[in-house]
Amino acid sequence: MTSRHYRRPGPGLAPGRTPTPSEASIRYTRIVQGACLFLTLTAGWLSHLFSVYLTQEQSEAPTVDVSSLVSSVWCHTGSSGEKLCKFRNICYDPWFQEFQFTMSEESIVFGIRNPEQWKDIDMSTVLDHNAFKMKVSIMSPENKIKQNRAQVLMDPTFIIHRFKPDNIMHVIHDELIPLLFTMESVSEKDFDGKQFSLAFTDDHNISTLDKWYDHFSKSPIIKLPYISETICFANAYVGMHKSTLWFDYGFKKYHGPYINRNFHVNGLKKFVKYSLSVWKSKPIFTCSLETQCVKVVVVSREQSRRILNLKTLYSAIEEAHQKSYKSYGLEIVTIDLARHDISFVLTELNQATLVVGMHGAAMILSLFMPPSSAIVELFPYAINPDNVSFLKALFQQREVYPLYYEFWRNKNIGDSRPGTHADPLMGKISHLSEELQNIIMSMTEVPPVQCCHSPAYLYYMYHDTYVQESVEQPILNALLRTQSHSPHPSLLSKHIFPASPSFLNCTFEGQELSVAWGESSNPEENENLWFQLTMLNDDIIKVVNATDSLSREFWMKLSTPIKSFQLWFQPFSGKDRSGHLTHQNCTKSR
């Protein structure tokens, strides 16, 4: 396969892999890949047409008198302020291109208090953008505008508006991860792709990425802009959790990291696990650290933001390998989303020790690497990763994704070449005034920008690059970090606290007090256990710390006889982790 550029034999590896394929094999493979791409697009069109057909026909969906339907809605607010709503009996009218909520005195409206809140239900997770609000019309059962009869879909359905479904980073970050996270929050079991259906309100053209969405719907996806008759949903969900977002596209502030105080890294991990169960295939070669082989995946771009001297990059990878994993084999695999099947790409990434690639949407697939692997992201001249890198932003969140990150920036304008595209959105600036062109071309770093069409940002972002030998250092740093296996903070370490004892006994006789307690259920998960005893004798409060966690008993003699005694008992782990407070009325010994 043309993607395998080099294999260095190591212990346990069979030597003799072909280093570079012949030109004939390259031409043949590209013909095959082109045919595969054509078939994929054709299949996408057929799937789209089939979906539209099913939406219009829906032979199994019951047809009911719409005037008999009564709508209800339950909305609550997610941890990041987003509305998460469940609708019952809501209809979509293609003529008005709106959702129609039939309200009667029997309707339940929870979490929406006034007309303004009806207009603030997001169908997308994109931050600070008002184009994705749910368009709802409230009407009475007697409204004559409504069609008399409509089909009702009984499957629970998530209704979303996609932002950029032709860009793999947006597909994964904006929709699929939040979608799975939200589906799991309302599902009675782990998500397996068979609990919910999907409906889209956007009219984006089909793309090769549409198949990603197919695995999140139990039935063909409904594309609402293409239906011709009103369709009703018995149970519909609108709104997705934003707790898995980590990047802001700059609609109200600068484009860059979104520091999410409620970030849930396990939402990403669950998405990766589910997607691998769907896409992953058996690898052609087995190269991983377990087999004493270092697999390096190079993410290639053929249309824009290209690396113009890939051989220099391969040489840098080889040199870094010699300085870090000399006794291991080496396999360099080049992938390109425009040419390679997604199953092949994810399978290769899931074995990779290191991914190297120019900044771009395809680098989001680094999420599929094994834990403790590393990423080296490359940037064109004048582009600051702090402002643009969604990967670098990921590693600034409060919960850390278990990969290592390094980057390389082209600091030499002589190693940069303007793109050849004639579209201003792809970096063309010849349509601008000569003065503005000179200002842009004299920049050494593009300042932070807001979305979406900064000429300077686009000009440099679409430059091609000659990488230099200096790229070896971040590659070496990344490989060395994969050897350290420094543990990332675990979810357990974040949430663990000492459990209450299985029993608590407190007795007294005269001036003597005796306290005994049983073992807790999680002592092995807690280090440096100690216990605080707060005692109330008449009106006198006394606080004592018991540090012997093994004996699980405490005895003391008071200065005056005890008449009545109350005890509050609390376990501690270290300095700042406390368990539940337990109260006990002490009894007089018999």
Side-chain angles (χ1 to χ4, degrees):
M1 183 171 285
T2 61
S3 58
R4 297 183 185 278
H5 292 279
Y6 186 80
R7 173 181 275 266
R8 183 193 300 280
L13 292 176
R17 298 286 183 198
T18 304
T20 308
S22 67
E23 292 185 5
S25 68
I26 292 176
R27 285 195 300 271
Y28 172 77
T29 306
R30 286 182 174 173
I31 291 172
V32 172
Q33 290 167 342
C36 290
L37 181 61
F38 172 77
L39 291 173
T40 300
L41 288 170
T42 302
W45 271 109
L46 291 174
S47 174
H48 166 72
L49 293 173
F50 185 57
S51 172
V52 173
Y53 170 77
L54 284 182
T55 301
Q56 293 175 339
E57 299 299 326
Q58 288 291 337
S59 57
E60 297 182 3
T63 300
V64 300
D65 183 355
V66 176
S67 64
S68 67
L69 292 180
V70 173
S71 305
S72 289
V73 61
W74 295 261
C75 292
H76 66 277
T77 303
S79 59
S80 298
E82 65 276 23
K83 270 194 178 66
L84 305 168
C85 299
K86 178 183 177 180
F87 288 89
R88 183 165 294 163
N89 297 332
I90 192 166
C91 301
Y92 182 82
D93 188 321
W95 176 256
F96 292 98
Q97 298 179 38
E98 66 181 12
F99 291 92
Q100 296 174 347
F101 187 98
T102 303
M103 188 175 294
S104 76
E105 294 306 309
E106 299 176 6
S107 296
I108 294 175
V109 180
F110 178 83
I112 300 179
R113 297 183 178 87
N114 54 57
E116 290 304 310
Q117 292 185 353
W118 280 101
K119 295 178 281 185
D120 194 34
I121 302 174
D122 279 317
M123 310 190 75
S124 168
T125 63
V126 175
L127 299 169
D128 299 322
H129 202 304
N130 62 6
F132 310 122
K133 303 294 184 182
M134 185 180 189
K135 185 180 177 184
V136 185
S137 172
I138 310 297
M139 54 181 57
S140 67
E142 295 78 23
N143 192 300
K144 302 302 182 184
I145 292 294
K146 297 189 300 183
Q147 295 188 22
N148 291 331
R149 303 191 68 78
Q151 292 174 337
V152 178
L153 299 185
M154 305 306 296
D155 286 344
T157 303
F158 272 81
I159 304 174
I160 68 172
H161 190 108
R162 298 173 299 168
F163 179 42
K164 285 183 65 62
D166 58 346
N167 181 297
I168 187 63
M169 186 271 172
H170 286 284
V171 168
I172 290 176
H173 176 270
D174 305 346
E175 282 119 34
L176 296 186
I177 295 178
L179 190 59
L180 188 147
F181 192 85
T182 309
M183 285 177 168
E184 285 224 315
S185 73
V186 298
S187 176
E188 296 179 354
K189 62 178 183 176
D190 287 344
F191 181 75
D192 61 6
K194 299 178 182 178
Q195 293 101 316
F196 304 97
S197 293
L198 271 181
F200 298 155
T201 58
D202 60 84
D203 59 356
H204 287 290
N205 294 327
I206 68 164
S207 81
T208 56
L209 301 179
D210 285 357
K211 53 191 175 182
W212 281 84
Y213 297 97
D214 293 338
H215 294 294
F216 287 77
S217 184
K218 64 183 293 188
S219 57
I221 295 172
I222 301 167
K223 299 178 174 64
L224 294 175
Y226 298 101
I227 67 174
S228 58
E229 301 291 338
T230 295
I231 188 170
C232 299
F233 299 89
N235 290 285
Y237 294 89
V238 179
M240 293 179 282
H241 279 286
K242 296 184 179 181
S243 300
T244 59
L245 302 183
W246 71 89
F247 202 74
D248 191 324
Y249 304 125
F251 289 107
K252 285 191 177 179
K253 56 188 117 180
Y254 288 133
H255 177 100
Y258 169 52
I259 304 303
N260 191 339
R261 293 178 297 172
N262 304 298
F263 186 70
H264 282 278
V265 72
N266 273 4
L268 281 65
K269 294 177 182 178
K270 281 185 172 288
F271 164 75
V272 168
K273 182 179 179 181
Y274 172 69
S275 297
L276 284 174
S277 72
V278 171
W279 292 106
K280 188 178 177 183
S281 60
K282 186 176 180 180
I284 300 172
F285 305 116
T286 301
C287 175
S288 64
L289 294 183
E290 288 74 19
T291 60
Q292 292 191 310
C293 177
V294 174
K295 176 174 287 189
V296 179
V297 173
V298 176
V299 180
S300 174
R301 298 175 60 94
E302 289 191 348
Q303 301 300 320
S304 63
R305 213 174 308 136
R306 298 172 299 171
I307 300 172
L308 298 175
N309 56 338
L310 278 172
K311 288 185 179 180
T312 301
L313 179 60
Y314 298 146
S315 296
I317 294 170
E318 292 181 43
E319 289 297 322
H321 166 261
Q322 284 292 296
K323 296 174 182 178
S324 56
Y325 283 97
K326 185 175 182 180
S327 63
Y328 281 45
L330 172 67
E331 181 181 13
I332 300 175
V333 180
T334 302
I335 61 172
D336 185 340
L337 285 187
R339 298 192 293 116
H340 291 126
D341 178 81
I342 193 63
S343 294
F344 167 78
V345 170
L346 297 190
T347 301
E348 294 298 316
L349 288 169
N350 196 235
Q351 287 187 325
T353 304
L354 175 67
V355 164
V356 182
M358 189 62 71
H359 169 76
M363 291 294 285
I364 190 68
L365 297 178
S366 303
L367 294 177
F368 290 90
M369 299 173 70
S372 298
S373 301
I375 304 163
V376 176
E377 189 174 19
L378 314 178
F379 292 88
Y381 180 77
I383 297 297
N384 186 338
D386 290 338
N387 300 331
V388 304
S389 174
F390 54 84
L391 286 177
K392 196 170 191 293
L394 175 60
F395 299 101
Q396 297 173 4
Q397 301 301 319
R398 68 183 185 93
E399 290 185 357
V400 181
Y401 199 75
L403 299 175
Y404 301 112
Y405 177 82
E406 299 281 343
F407 66 88
W408 176 87
R409 292 178 64 180
N410 177 19
K411 294 293 189 70
N412 183 6
I413 186 62
D415 295 325
S416 189
R417 298 291 183 273
T420 58
H421 296 278
D423 187 346
L425 295 180
M426 297 287 283
K428 174 191 171 185
I429 61 172
S430 59
H431 64 292
L432 303 176
S433 68
E434 185 175 348
E435 179 184 7
L436 187 52
Q437 290 185 52
N438 290 334
I439 292 173
I440 290 173
M441 290 188 289
S442 64
M443 287 182 172
T444 57
E445 182 172 307
V446 177
V449 299
Q450 289 187 296
C451 189
C452 294
H453 302 144
S454 164
Y457 169 80
L458 295 171
Y459 175 69
Y460 285 107
M461 181 57 80
Y462 284 99
H463 270 211
D464 299 329
T465 302
Y466 286 97
V467 297
Q468 295 303 312
E469 294 178 357
S470 60
V471 76
E472 180 190 330
Q473 191 58 52
I475 293 174
L476 176 59
N477 293 344
L479 287 174
L480 291 175
R481 293 181 74 182
T482 66
Q483 295 177 345
S484 66
H485 297 293
S486 56
H488 292 277
S490 69
L491 194 62
L492 178 67
S493 66
K494 176 185 174 183
H495 289 278
I496 193 68
F497 61 90
S500 300
S502 56
F503 67 87
L504 178 65
N505 287 333
C506 176
T507 60
F508 64 88
E509 178 66 36
Q511 295 174 237
E512 296 182 353
L513 173 70
S514 177
V515 180
W517 58 92
E519 186 177 15
S520 66
S521 59
N522 64 351
E524 295 180 358
E525 286 82 10
N526 289 277
E527 297 180 350
N528 304 318
L529 273 174
W530 58 280
F531 310 95
Q532 187 174 86
L533 288 74
T534 303
M535 297 166 282
L536 176 63
N537 179 20
D538 292 334
D539 294 329
I540 301 173
I541 297 176
K542 189 175 182 63
V543 179
V544 177
N545 294 335
T547 57
D548 186 354
S549 62
L550 295 178
S551 65
R552 297 197 294 277
E553 60 182 6
F554 175 80
W555 177 91
M556 71 179 299
K557 188 172 184 178
L558 301 180
S559 57
T560 59
I562 303 171
K563 296 181 180 179
S564 64
F565 208 92
Q566 294 188 67
L567 172 71
W568 286 266
F569 179 94
Q570 189 170 27
F572 284 82
S573 173
K575 295 181 179 180
D576 58 354
R577 296 291 177 97
S578 62
H580 294 287
L581 195 66
T582 304
H583 175 260
Q584 181 79 40
N585 283 312
C586 299
T587 60
K588 187 175 182 179
S589 299
R590 296 179 180 179

